[in-house]
Amino acid sequence: MKRGTVASSLALLFWHISFACADASSECCNALSQEPLLADKVYYPDTADYQGRLESIWSASAALAPWCFVLPQSAEDTSTIIQTLVRNECSFGILGGGHGDFPAANSIQDGVTIDFGSMDQVTYDAAQKIASIGPGSSWQPVYETLEPHGVTVTGGRAGGVGVAGFTTGGGNSFHSTSHGWACDNVKNFQVVLANGTIVDANADENNDLWQALKGGSGNFGLVTRFDMYVIEFPDPQKPNIWGGIAQYELSAADDLTDAYVDFVENNDQDKNSSTMLYWVYTHSTRSLVVQVAMDNTLDIAYPPAYDRYLNTSGLISTSLRSAPMYEITAEFDKGQPEGLHGNFSNIWLTGAYKNDPRVIKFAAEKHEELIAGKLAGLVSQDSQLVTLCSMFPLTQAMIEHGEANGGNAMNLEAKSGGENGVLFLASLAIDGADNEAIAVPIMQQWQDEVDAYATSLGLNWDWRFLNYAYAGQDPIATYATDKIRAAAGKYDPDGVFQRLRRTGHRIVA
């Protein structure tokens, strides 16, 4: 075949593909716009409303531009949306609080993004002691709304984290040891199924769906309301917790690691205290420091659980104090190095291991090697690169709440073997898509090396926390897959949330 003929054939093929995509785009978005309930709730490209929704997504990696956004304001709107999309065989994504990191975590490029940004209401039923929260909310306004009532919920440590993805993925909070994961504290999910039916999922109704949603993410339907048990502050007139962040010189790392391991092993003796240990590198300042988050939900200052941390030499500064919880969560958002929030690409990878200082120190050493090696020349001095090596407790005191509160899909009872563990998060924020493409395999190699080292010591739990898992880590496969598959088959028999939904972590065949 002549070159010109080949070129003409390819051009014709690309034209047909482009035309087909454009036709599907018009058909799907126009079908939504023609529904009376949705006429003014569909946002098209090249409009300020559309751009505003795109910019609301936390990570540039996840901010894919859809054919259109559709913003329901009720469960009834949501029912109309899903029926319209299914009827027209339209691919779709789901956007809750928009705090996912990887491409297609929150939005979709070739399809429609269902955006819950207009469903961000927070109400409190004092008689039932239940907070009802919309899927489009983030935790900061939730805490601020509940604070005058002297109550709170098991939400994110950072106020900007979204409610929906955090909760359906598990949700680790200040209260995890005393009350369990966020998902363990959901009394009821209001859910719109793929056929448009609006159902409640709780201990008495659709119990299997209720359990599967507690960690199983968006594989069953569209959650349009979370009814959560509240936690009362000891003094409703002073709804404070004690906590903040302590920063140390790098030389303190080994001692802090040993203090962290000791804290995890003894966390059952003080279930109201929680911690995080993390190494932070900021490329713009070329500095690497160690930080420790310490928080006590009973507002007890300097509880004995933190003695080893606070007696470690090399302390640079602390923000430890008694303050409203929403101030502590706001600090964690604002106090992090620039690049962890805003219009940056983010890469998060995760693993879980038995609580052992060797794994923690190995991960930190590899982090330092990357900073000095492969990451050193990745961006220029005036560019942004921030990377963290973070450790979170996975204690039996946390895990036991799952079964006690009706069961969840996280499978940690089996994976942990009755032992305490450490949840590892390798994260990086960087500017520029080209830099991100180079950084992804570097970060994946770091995670793989930590996994391999933990496996060699018999310490690897082979479990991925869905909230922290990157694309391709397949956390659902490490959860209670039989429970998840059974619920998906029952409540979504046509596989709409596997076949047409293109965002988040799906069930892999």
Side-chain angles (χ1 to χ4, degrees), residues 157 172-177 242 244 263 267 270-276 292-297 305-306 309 393:
R157 294 170 177 269
N172 192 4
S173 78
F174 296 128
H175 296 88
S176 289
T177 306
W242 178 89
F263 178 98
N267 198 196
D270 181 357
K271 296 182 180 181
N272 299 295
S273 290
S274 63
T275 193
M276 291 168 49
V292 180
M294 304 178 226
D295 301 281
N296 182 276
T297 56
Y306 299 125
Y309 282 146

Side-chain angles (χ1 to χ4, degrees), residues 139-369:
W139 291 111
Q140 195 67 27
V142 173
Y143 299 144
E144 292 174 3
T145 300
L146 296 178
E147 186 263 353
H149 301 283
V151 299
T152 190
V153 288
T154 51
R157 294 170 177 269
V161 172
V163 167
F166 177 90
T167 307
T168 58
N172 192 4
S173 78
F174 296 128
H175 296 88
S176 289
T177 306
S178 60
H179 289 76
W181 303 89
C183 66
D184 293 329
N185 290 271
V186 178
K187 180 181 181 181
N188 177 73
F189 298 94
Q190 183 188 69
V191 189
V192 178
L193 302 179
N195 63 5
T197 304
I198 303 170
V199 302
D200 287 319
N202 51 57
D204 300 316
E205 302 174 79
N206 303 305
N207 178 277
D208 50 352
L209 178 59
W210 178 59
Q211 291 188 51
L213 280 165
K214 293 194 283 183
S217 194
N219 284 289
F220 320 99
L222 299 165
V223 180
T224 48
R225 194 183 70 238
F226 298 83
D227 298 325
M228 299 187 69
Y229 296 106
V230 299
I231 301 168
E232 297 179 352
F233 287 99
D235 181 356
Q237 303 304 313
K238 186 185 177 185
N240 286 8
I241 67 172
W242 178 89
I245 298 170
Q247 182 164 295
Y248 293 82
E249 296 172 356
L250 187 59
S251 59
D254 282 352
D255 289 340
L256 291 172
T257 297
D258 293 336
Y260 168 88
V261 170
D262 181 67
F263 178 98
V264 172
E265 287 305 311
N266 294 285
N267 198 196
D268 61 333
Q269 299 177 27
D270 181 357
K271 296 182 180 181
N272 299 295
S273 290
S274 63
T275 193
M276 291 168 49
L277 170 67
Y278 50 106
W279 287 252
V280 185
Y281 173 75
T282 308
H283 183 81
S284 58
T285 61
R286 303 296 176 101
S287 64
L288 175 63
V289 296
V290 189
Q291 294 186 350
V292 180
M294 304 178 226
D295 301 281
N296 182 276
T297 56
L298 296 184
D299 197 29
I300 298 172
Y302 300 98
Y306 299 125
D307 283 351
R308 285 194 65 175
Y309 282 146
L310 296 171
N311 289 326
T312 298
S313 60
L315 181 65
I316 298 171
S317 63
T318 84
S319 63
L320 299 170
R321 81 279 192 198
S322 173
M325 198 172 89
Y326 65 80
E327 288 187 11
I328 302 286
T329 56
E331 175 202 5
F332 200 80
D333 270 336
K334 297 175 183 177
Q336 295 302 300
E338 187 63 34
L340 294 183
H341 45 81
N343 193 29
F344 292 81
S345 297
N346 290 269
I347 303 165
W348 287 22
L349 295 110
T350 190
Y353 319 106
K354 182 180 176 181
N355 184 41
D356 190 296
R358 292 173 293 176
V359 178
I360 298 171
K361 292 175 181 179
F362 179 86
E365 289 167 5
K366 288 298 176 181
H367 183 220
E368 287 191 60
E369 288 179 13

Side-chain angles (χ1 to χ4, degrees), residues 193-195 208-209 212-213 216 218-221 476 480-499 501 507:
L193 302 179
N195 63 5
D208 50 352
L209 178 59
L213 280 165
N219 284 289
F220 320 99
I476 292 292
T481 53
D482 289 346
K483 182 181 291 187
I484 289 170
R485 289 182 188 280
K490 178 179 177 180
Y491 293 96
D492 181 20
D494 295 328
V496 167
F497 286 87
Q498 310 308 316
R499 181 169 53 85
R501 177 179 64 104
I507 302 170

